[in-house]
Amino acid sequence: MKVVLSTVVLVLAMAAACRADGPADNQPDRVRRVPPLGIELSETDQKDLAGQLETLGAAIAELAKSNDPRTRELLPDVQIFHRAVHDALAYREFLNEKEPAIGRDLVRQGLERARQLAAGEAPWTTQTGLVVRGYVSKIDGSIQPYGLVVPESYTGRGGRRHRLDLWFHGRGENLTEVNFLAGRQKDRGVFTPADTIVLHPYGRYCNAFKFAGEVDVLEALDSVRRRYPIDDDRIAVRGFSMGGAACWQFAVHYADRWVGATPGAGFSETPQFLKVFQKETLAPAWWEQKLWHWYDCNDWAMNLAHCPTVAYSGEIDSQKQAADVMVDALRKEGIELVHIIGPKTAHSYHPDARAEIDRRMTSIAERGRERVPRTVRFVTYTLKYNRLAWVTVDALAEHWSEARVEAQIVGDGAVSASTKNVSALTLEFPPGWAPFDVTQPVSLTIDGQDLRGSRPESDRSWTCRLTRDDNRWRVGTDESGRLRKRHGLQGPIDDAFMDSFLFVRPTGKSASPAVETWVTAELDRAIEHWRRHFRGAARVKDDAAITDDDIAGATSCCGATRRRIGCWRRSPTGCRSAGTAPPSWSASGGFRPSITRPR
């Protein structure tokens, strides 16, 4: 449904200006440095900031010695200030003459929080209004910041749970940690609904909340849920421009987690966006097109049957294309997208549109999330995103091809399901939520085949695992022991960097100096660009120093050993590649790939 509003236009200052790079930015010798190189600080500024950072670092070191769980849990709320200013100074990321003063103020805030925490106080934990906090990421152990808008009604007492809105920021190549922390203490944002905590994730900078940026959102959300009384049935995802793209992404991939979604502008898929907005003509390889399924939201549109969605576009905004694509994709699934359009509006919110979006989102949030829908309609292309409500896809017949499950509760004792490209799945209802007669086995009909499941447990939980062999379904799991992809161990290689990983530095020599030079250069480049684009410090260790604990603690080990090169994953019970190590150097100086198998 298209909703067109017709009053005056209000141009709002968005988180970042929208720009198109175009084909020129794809030429290796012309790609802009991101983030841009900052100004050269005077010797006085450098010494002054370094001295203040040393003082703050010493205070953090003292706090880190504490055995008090609360002190250790709140320490990242202090460390965010040190890391932001340290990195800006160390990597020349003070981008203009005003930012060193901002850095000094952030150090001052860090020192004040350190003093308060040392005294057993933490007033920012009950502060309302604009608050910045932090957490330690599982990916690389880095300190990552996030911002909050805490409503005046928040007291932290009485057991009252609050609605939470996730707001994804727009593109901003100058959004270093210094600028993020400063901005999150000045700007309340576009939407601040009553009695609602608004979480502004950093997303590890300006990567469209993809890969490690995606994990940052989930980790920041977990941090907020531990620290504040959040109503899990009233968590919404929202964003504009690049943040609108993120909103589409989270809505389709985690549809059952949100009460609703309000994406604005941005992009929702790859080929049409690049053609319309970037003016690029693509000639992708087949495997590139396959992997577009990862983040092309129109391919996952059916999942929005479980996430009430209100899209917004300015009438004359080229990024209206994103919602137009989703209108068509949803219509094919029998769903009419609510698409609010600001008349004669470019890349901004029309004031009446803001009011209408808020009205609809308020109504959606009042109802709350549907925890256990009677009908589940689920599409996926990868086991990374393998669950929706009470349906979990455990195995695919062909990865990166469309897989579907449509399952329905029938009466009080049966489930009917149809599948496509699925070879194993689990139907699971948590305690208290199985809608079946506890005295009777649950009847199953799957792809026209009748099966008999177990009775629900006395706590009203019920689980049924199903496996397809030779085109026939049976109750039970795959017990063949054969190597196969599974959730958390499904690839592709990019997926290795969405969980804990370790770079392994080779200490030996290759038979080919050229290959050895390339390996060293690529390792250095990976470390540098991980910091630049995902704002972390990659953990690096020499091959000779790698221990079993390193392998057990890292989901992925990437790099080379004295004789080998590659990237290998651990299974849930540990990791070893074929033989005893990762892929090996060949006599000619190249390398032989190996397969990874569970230990």
Side-chain angles (χ1 to χ4, degrees), residues 567-597:
C567 180
W568 63 107
R569 303 291 303 271
R570 69 168 169 83
S571 74
T573 57
C575 145
R576 284 286 187 269
S577 57
T580 60
S584 61
W585 294 110
S586 69
S588 63
F591 64 92
R592 293 186 293 262
S594 73
I595 58 171
T596 303
R597 65 180 179 223

Side-chain angles (χ1 to χ4, degrees), residues 23 33 35 100 102 125 156 202-203 208 236 266 294 331 381 400 430 443 449-450 498 523 533 545 548 571 576 580 592:
R33 189 187 192 280
I102 297 173
T125 62
Y202 183 42
W294 189 338
R331 192 165 286 155
Y381 288 79
W400 300 108
S443 299
Q449 183 183 340
D450 294 330
M498 297 178 76
L523 178 58
H533 302 293
D548 285 344
S571 74
R576 284 286 187 269
T580 60
R592 293 186 293 262

Side-chain angles (χ1 to χ4, degrees), residues 11 35 43 54 74 82 133 156 182 224 260 267 293 301 311-313 323 452 486 491 493 555 571:
V11 178
E43 186 175 347
E54 185 176 0
L74 295 177
H82 183 276
R133 304 195 66 175
V224 174
F267 52 91
H293 291 308
Y312 169 77
S313 303
R452 189 180 180 89
R486 66 194 71 178
I493 186 65
T555 300
S571 74

Side-chain angles (χ1 to χ4, degrees), residues 416-428:
S416 175
S418 62
T419 71
K420 172 187 175 183
N421 192 32
V422 174
S423 55
L425 60 84
T426 298
L427 310 177
E428 184 171 20

Side-chain angles (χ1 to χ4, degrees), residues 4-8 341 343 350 352:
V4 181
L5 303 163
S6 57
T7 55
V8 295
I341 298 174
H350 188 286
D352 289 353

Side-chain angles (χ1 to χ4, degrees), residues 40-109:
E40 288 193 42
L41 298 187
S42 68
E43 186 175 347
T44 300
D45 279 342
Q46 291 186 47
K47 287 183 177 179
D48 181 42
L49 284 166
Q52 293 182 44
L53 281 170
E54 185 176 0
T55 302
L56 177 55
I60 290 172
E62 282 301 310
L63 289 168
K65 296 176 183 177
S66 173
N67 292 321
D68 174 48
R70 185 168 182 265
T71 299
R72 299 181 72 86
E73 198 279 326
L74 295 177
L75 187 56
D77 293 341
V78 180
Q79 291 171 301
I80 53 173
F81 298 105
H82 183 276
R83 178 167 182 260
V85 181
H86 170 275
D87 285 9
L89 185 62
Y91 302 111
R92 195 173 163 182
E93 288 183 353
F94 285 113
L95 304 180
N96 59 52
E97 290 78 5
K98 296 180 180 179
E99 290 186 13
I102 297 173
R104 292 187 185 92
D105 185 61
L106 294 178
V107 174
R108 180 194 60 76
Q109 292 182 56

Side-chain angles (χ1 to χ4, degrees), residues 137-420:
S137 174
K138 65 179 181 180
I139 295 180
D140 54 9
S142 62
I143 306 298
Q144 295 295 330
Y146 58 83
L148 295 169
V149 184
V150 182
E152 296 301 320
S153 58
Y154 172 74
T155 65
R157 301 185 302 274
R160 179 186 178 189
R161 295 197 170 272
H162 287 262
R163 167 183 160 188
L164 181 138
D165 284 7
L166 272 159
W167 178 263
F168 302 112
H169 64 73
R171 175 172 170 175
E173 294 177 2
N174 291 344
L175 195 65
T176 61
E177 289 84 352
V178 165
N179 288 327
F180 177 78
L181 290 174
R184 290 301 346 123
Q185 297 182 82
K186 294 178 181 178
D187 182 11
R188 295 178 65 87
V190 178
F191 295 101
T192 52
D195 299 326
T196 299
I197 294 174
V198 182
L199 166 60
H200 291 259
Y202 183 42
R204 288 183 176 242
Y205 178 53
C206 187
N207 50 61
F209 300 91
K210 302 291 193 284
F211 308 113
E214 176 180 332
V215 178
D216 175 79
V217 173
L218 301 176
E219 289 189 300
L221 176 58
D222 285 345
S223 175
V224 174
R225 289 175 64 247
R226 289 194 304 270
R227 292 170 160 182
Y228 295 86
I230 302 300
D231 184 346
D232 285 344
D233 291 329
R234 294 192 300 144
I235 301 176
V237 285
R238 316 183 74 170
F240 187 84
S241 195
M242 185 183 81
C247 187
W248 283 120
Q249 164 195 332
F250 277 83
V252 300
H253 285 154
Y254 304 97
D256 61 340
R257 292 194 62 167
W258 321 121
V259 68
T262 62
F267 52 91
S268 57
E269 47 68 60
T270 306
Q272 294 185 55
F273 173 76
L274 290 178
K275 182 178 180 180
V276 171
F277 189 68
Q278 299 280 86
K279 311 302 180 188
E280 293 190 43
T281 301
L282 304 178
W286 67 267
W287 54 268
E288 289 179 294
Q289 289 182 288
K290 279 278 188 183
L291 292 178
W292 282 351
H293 291 308
W294 189 338
Y295 283 130
D296 277 6
C297 300
N298 54 328
D299 293 336
W300 305 69
M302 186 170 74
N303 296 342
L304 293 182
H306 300 279
C307 182
T309 302
V310 179
Y312 169 77
S313 303
E315 184 179 21
I316 56 175
D317 185 2
S318 63
Q319 290 188 19
K320 177 176 174 290
Q321 173 265 346
D324 289 342
V325 166
M326 294 304 292
V327 165
D328 292 341
L330 283 162
R331 192 165 286 155
K332 291 175 182 176
E333 303 293 350
I335 301 171
E336 201 67 29
L337 177 65
V338 174
H339 185 192
I340 295 173
I341 298 174
K344 300 179 182 178
T345 306
H347 199 59
S348 63
Y349 276 100
H350 188 286
D352 289 353
R354 287 181 65 194
E356 178 63 12
I357 292 166
D358 244 359
R359 182 188 71 80
R360 290 174 181 262
M361 193 67 245
T362 297
S363 178
I364 291 168
E366 284 175 353
R367 184 184 186 278
R369 174 179 62 121
E370 187 177 21
R371 289 192 187 182
V372 182
R374 290 191 66 85
T375 299
V376 173
R377 298 180 178 90
F378 180 39
V379 61
T380 187
Y381 288 79
T382 167
L383 294 179
K384 180 169 185 61
Y385 309 104
N386 71 325
R387 185 187 67 82
L388 199 156
W390 43 273
V391 173
T392 299
V393 173
D394 298 311
L396 299 175
E398 182 180 340
H399 288 256
W400 300 108
S401 291
E402 183 186 71
R404 288 185 175 236
V405 178
E406 295 197 34
Q408 184 175 12
I409 298 167
V410 181
D412 66 352
V415 172
S416 175
S418 62
T419 71
K420 172 187 175 183

